[in-house]
Amino acid sequence: MTQPSSPASPAPSAESATWVALAGNPNSGKTTIFNALTGLRQKVGNYPGVTVEKKVGSLPAGSDGRTDGSGIAGDIRILDLPGTYSLSVRSPDEAIARDVLLGRIAGTPAPGMIVCVVDAGNLERNLYLASQLFDLRRPTVLVLNMMDLASTSGIEIDVPRLQEALGVLVVPTVGNKGIGLDALTKTIRRNPHAPSERQWKMSDDLEAAVAELGSWFQEFRRMDAPAAFSEAMLHIGGDEAVMMRDEEARAIVRGLVAKLDAQGSDWRSEMVEARYAWIHRVIGYAVRRTSSPQRQFSDRLDEVLTHRIWGWAAFIAVMAMMFFTIFTVASYPMDMIDSSFTVLSDGVRNALPPGDLRDLLTDGVISGVGSVVIFLPQILILFFFIGLLEDTGYMPRAAFIIDRMMSRVGLHGKSFIPLLSSFACAIPGIMATRTIESRKDRLVTMLVAPLMSCSARLPVYAVMIAALMPASGGASWMRAGIMLAMYFLGMIAAFAMAWFFKKTLLKGETPVLIMELPPYRRPSMRAILLQMWERSSLFLQRAGTVILGLSILIWALMTYPKTDGASPDMALNHSIAGRIGHVIEPVIEPLGFDWRIGIGLVTSFAAREVFVSTMGIIFNVENADETSESLLDAFRNARWPDGTQLFSPLACVSVMVFYVLAMQCLSTVAVMRRETNGWKWPLFQVAYMTILAYAGSLAVYQGGKLLGWG
């Protein structure tokens, strides 16, 4: 085994030297390390030209600008790369990790240093990616994370011997407890030298083919030797995503592959086996295994949590607890937020004289912002549970449990997390599909995610259920049952449409779920809270700004042109929104909707929750929400021209069914456009969901009338 040697590649530039790429396998604790190093000094954006999130944090300088006398001065920017098992990738997230490491992303400098986080209890698998990173010959630090779990599993790692064997600096850590982070910070600032010469070797013929292609990359693509070697390995290994970039390189690869095939050796397997042969030598030199009490405990726990019967019981219990918390505990802070905005609106109304400016601020700006912020507690609680399930290691078990059901509609367990996230908001749900390898499976999941009843639908359900069944006229369990039925309807519709898409537009084989079950571990509350902060901020930025602008637009449409001396009803009737409502009334009348409900449908395309505030403006009810008795009284007194009740029980159900199935969310459309890099699929999604909603409401209303339900 050799000691670390001086770098053979050129020293990084002053700009790239301050960029540190944090790489590692999924479930290695990489993001926990990132959060611990950077804290709230993080920014989330997108890589240029793609929709994958770019998470950058800063490691601040010490009081003198340096931690060690010869290290990197000033702030160090740390880039948290998506988790990947190797540089031969299968998903958009993994492709970004590879391209950043190879310096292919415009506007993102090639990292001057790589910090590779590995699971200390699964070195054999994790060192495969590490070996590919060592090939890049950049200053590298190997982080042995979750050392506590490795120790309790009977795995003893001799860190000095491992460091000697790998030729890089090795830092043991327990990320969720903060152990080893000071040593890691000092090691990063010391700017360690590059790994020593490559220690794993292939056959002479294969080495010669890689060297020939690598030389071509150096000469004609101006790459340094380490990058050229990695590119050559990916091209000869048949990475189609890489080869599509360079037709000239593909022609050379075809010739080299033909020569290798003519020799009759299994050279493709050899490219992988050569790395693992070296990994086995390293592990044999530095790792000693004893008994595994912790692993036996995990196995016993998995016998229950992944059982065909008890596993489902545990899954349902966890989901029930999550939704109970969302719909009960969240109600208290939601009421406080609602009261705060009411006080603010009343304050503005009392401070300003009557006029358009006052109405704009109260009915447009404050009402628009409040309609989004009020759902923040539910978003936070959902992401708390998601973070808790991910950090403890239960989330992959839940995906495994639900995989059998989802495979029946052509999806696999990895679609579970995006669909679960969509119960809070379809925006994070659609963004969570990036971990799905198959493009078709990812697209199907994105197309059906908005059918899961998000928190923005709750005000519509609540006000319609209250109108349908007043508190004095029905038991609370009956109202809760109707609410639950709406959620089940959305789930059934999502699975049915997924099955339809997989059989028609996006036809493909039912995917096989292959995923790692990480060890159970104690969650990091710091990491969970940071995730809640990050996701809630994105929700407010992306949804709140759109809804605010459209709320102002809606107010203007319902206010102008002004009719002097007219009653509020007459003024609304002659407004732009009123005219739009009358135009679409013949189309929506078969659903049990008149022109006033039509205005609500049009305006709530911005966001579903706008429906309630729109109804408040239409029926001249101030500070209307789903609990306003004055709004409910207005609903009960609303009539068709022939005197029949507008909001009949059947019409209330029809409205709820429409909102279960319709898109009605411009923010989601915008996110779909970014995720699919075009307007084709977002417009298709709006069209199919609108048709589905219309057909569902039509069936409910007309079918109910035929049955005499009225």
Side-chain angles (χ1 to χ4, degrees):
M1 299 295 173
T2 61
Q3 295 288 345
S5 63
S6 298
S9 55
S13 66
E15 179 185 16
S16 65
T18 62
W19 279 90
V20 175
L22 204 62
N25 287 187
N27 301 310
S28 63
K30 174 180 59 63
T31 298
T32 299
I33 296 288
F34 174 76
N35 289 334
L37 290 175
T38 61
L40 292 176
R41 299 176 297 275
Q42 301 178 12
K43 290 184 179 180
V44 179
N46 276 29
Y47 288 95
V50 295
T51 57
V52 177
E53 281 185 357
K54 180 179 183 179
K55 296 179 66 175
V56 180
S58 63
L59 186 65
S63 59
D64 60 351
R66 292 177 190 264
T67 299
D68 294 301
S70 59
I72 301 174
D75 286 1
I76 295 176
R77 286 166 289 181
I78 300 179
L79 188 61
D80 184 21
L81 298 179
T84 181
Y85 291 103
S86 80
L87 296 186
S88 297
V89 302
R90 297 176 299 168
S91 70
D93 277 13
E94 294 176 332
I96 283 294
R98 176 201 61 204
D99 290 347
V100 169
L101 290 165
L102 295 178
R104 296 174 174 171
I105 303 293
T108 302
M113 184 190 308
I114 300 173
V115 175
C116 180
V117 181
V118 300
D119 177 358
N122 292 283
L123 274 182
E124 181 177 352
R125 184 188 65 247
N126 282 233
L127 285 178
Y128 187 87
L129 172 65
S131 71
Q132 294 179 313
L133 301 181
F134 297 160
D135 292 342
L136 297 174
R137 302 287 310 284
R138 296 202 185 108
T140 305
V141 178
L142 188 83
V143 177
L144 282 177
N145 196 30
M146 295 186 279
M147 284 289 287
D148 55 338
L149 295 180
S151 178
T152 55
S153 297
I155 299 174
E156 296 181 4
I157 302 175
D158 189 324
V159 174
R161 286 172 71 91
L162 182 63
Q163 183 167 289
E164 175 192 350
L166 297 178
V168 300
L169 291 175
V170 177
V171 181
T173 64
V174 181
N176 62 350
K177 297 179 182 177
I179 298 174
L181 296 182
D182 288 342
L184 176 58
T185 300
K186 292 178 181 179
T187 302
I188 292 173
R189 287 210 165 275
R190 238 183 342 250
N191 193 16
H193 38 65
S196 58
E197 292 294 331
R198 177 167 58 97
Q199 300 177 40
W200 64 275
K201 299 293 181 183
M202 302 173 289
S203 66
D204 292 343
D205 292 332
L206 187 51
E207 288 280 354
V210 173
E212 181 179 340
L213 182 57
S215 297
W216 183 86
F217 278 124
Q218 286 182 263
E219 182 177 358
F220 294 101
R221 295 296 181 262
R222 299 186 180 278
M223 296 181 183
D224 60 25
F229 172 82
S230 297
E231 287 280 5
M233 288 290 294
L234 292 173
H235 278 74
I236 293 178
D239 191 324
E240 289 296 327
V242 173
M243 294 176 67
M244 287 174 62
R245 298 170 177 263
D246 197 327
E247 182 58 38
E248 292 182 66
R250 292 184 68 178
I252 298 172
V253 169
R254 282 193 290 267
L256 293 173
V257 167
K259 289 181 183 179
L260 292 170
D261 287 339
Q263 293 163 1
S265 63
D266 189 5
W267 58 270
R268 291 179 176 84
S269 296
E270 184 187 343
M271 297 181 76
V272 176
E273 292 170 357
R275 291 187 190 273
Y276 275 115
W278 170 74
I279 291 171
H280 292 155
R281 291 196 300 272
V282 169
I283 291 176
Y285 181 72
V287 179
R288 188 169 70 90
R289 299 177 183 273
T290 58
S291 60
S292 307
Q294 181 66 37
R295 193 167 298 279
Q296 291 171 6
F297 170 77
S298 294
D299 292 341
R300 287 197 300 271
L301 196 56
D302 276 339
E303 286 176 2
V304 176
L305 295 182
T306 61
H307 189 271
R308 294 183 63 178
I309 297 175
W310 302 120
W312 269 104
F315 172 76
I316 292 172
V318 170
M319 293 298 103
M321 182 185 299
M322 182 181 72
F323 284 112
F324 174 81
T325 307
I326 288 174
F327 298 135
T328 56
V329 176
S331 64
Y332 298 104
M334 289 176 73
D335 290 342
M336 292 175 62
I337 293 172
D338 185 42
S339 299
S340 299
F341 275 93
T342 299
V343 171
L344 178 61
S345 179
D346 290 343
V348 172
R349 194 175 299 276
N350 293 330
L352 295 177
D356 286 353
L357 177 60
R358 188 182 74 172
D359 293 343
L360 170 63
L361 292 176
T362 55
D363 299 332
V365 176
I366 296 175
S367 176
V369 173
S371 68
V372 178
V373 176
I374 194 172
F375 298 107
L376 186 59
Q378 292 180 325
I379 298 292
L380 289 171
I381 290 174
L382 178 68
F383 279 115
F384 171 78
F385 272 94
I386 290 176
L388 191 66
L389 297 179
E390 288 177 342
D391 243 29
T392 57
Y394 179 74
M395 190 69 86
R397 274 86 179 174
F400 174 80
I401 286 293
I402 205 170
D403 174 65
R404 178 170 297 182
M405 181 181 72
M406 300 190 74
S407 64
R408 297 180 185 274
V409 298
L411 298 175
H412 59 45
K414 282 193 176 181
S415 297
F416 162 71
I417 296 174
L419 295 181
L420 175 64
S421 300
S422 297
F423 277 118
C425 178
I427 292 173
I430 290 172
M431 291 165 62
T433 62
R434 297 166 183 165
T435 59
I436 301 175
E437 293 87 358
S438 167
R439 177 183 173 275
K440 288 184 177 180
D441 295 333
R442 180 174 181 245
L443 191 52
V444 169
T445 307
M446 285 194 288
L447 287 173
V448 303
L451 288 169
M452 311 300 281
S453 282
C454 65
S455 57
R457 289 177 169 101
L458 281 174
V460 182
Y461 296 164
V463 74
M464 287 296 105
I465 291 173
L468 172 66
M469 188 176 295
S472 59
S476 59
W477 66 266
M478 294 177 65
R479 296 193 295 273
I482 296 173
M483 178 80 75
L484 190 61
M486 295 300 106
Y487 275 84
F488 274 116
L489 175 60
M491 293 171 62
I492 293 169
F495 288 135
M497 293 309 301
W499 176 87
F500 176 77
F501 291 141
K502 288 290 289 185
K503 296 293 183 182
T504 55
L505 292 176
L506 298 166
K507 190 173 183 179
E509 296 293 328
T510 299
V512 177
L513 177 65
I514 301 176
M515 66 187 309
E516 175 189 3
L517 294 182
Y520 294 101
R521 53 183 179 263
R522 189 175 70 180
S524 168
M525 293 308 299
R526 176 185 174 88
I528 293 172
L529 292 174
L530 282 171
Q531 178 178 320
M532 292 168 61
W533 169 264
E534 171 191 320
R535 292 299 175 184
S536 60
S537 298
L538 287 174
F539 171 78
L540 292 176
Q541 291 168 12
R542 293 175 179 170
T545 52
V546 173
I547 293 172
L548 172 60
L550 287 173
S551 295
I552 295 173
L553 176 61
I554 291 165
W555 172 85
L557 292 176
M558 289 191 290
T559 303
Y560 298 104
K562 304 200 73 167
T563 305
D564 294 335
S567 65
D569 289 344
M570 186 64 68
L572 177 64
N573 210 349
H574 287 83
S575 69
I576 297 174
R579 294 171 187 177
I580 294 173
H582 283 293
V583 168
I584 67 173
E585 186 177 59
V587 178
I588 61 176
E589 188 174 350
L591 311 182
F593 307 159
D594 75 341
W595 65 275
R596 290 167 290 186
I597 298 178
I599 294 175
L601 297 182
V602 173
T603 57
S604 63
F605 181 75
R608 301 172 181 93
E609 60 268 30
V610 174
F611 176 82
V612 178
S613 59
T614 301
M615 291 295 101
I617 296 173
I618 290 173
F619 289 100
N620 198 28
V621 176
E622 293 187 1
N623 300 319
D625 60 28
E626 60 271 23
T627 63
S628 299
E629 281 300 323
S630 53
L631 180 62
L632 295 177
D633 289 339
F635 281 179
R636 297 181 191 114
N637 295 327
R639 294 290 185 269
W640 287 93
D642 63 1
T644 58
Q645 187 179 13
L646 173 60
F647 287 96
S648 65
L650 196 56
C652 290
V653 175
S654 180
V655 170
M656 286 190 286
V657 170
F658 186 91
Y659 275 88
V660 168
L661 302 175
M663 169 60 82
Q664 301 299 98
C665 184
L666 194 61
S667 299
T668 302
V669 176
V671 170
M672 272 293 292
R673 190 253 176 246
R674 287 201 302 268
E675 294 295 310
T676 59
N677 288 320
W679 283 106
K680 173 185 174 183
W681 291 110
L683 293 177
F684 170 78
Q685 187 178 47
V686 172
Y688 102 76
M689 290 184 67
T690 302
I691 293 171
L692 189 65
Y694 190 92
S697 291
L698 183 67
V700 166
Y701 190 74
Q702 296 299 330
K705 289 184 68 175
L706 288 175
L707 293 173
W709 292 344

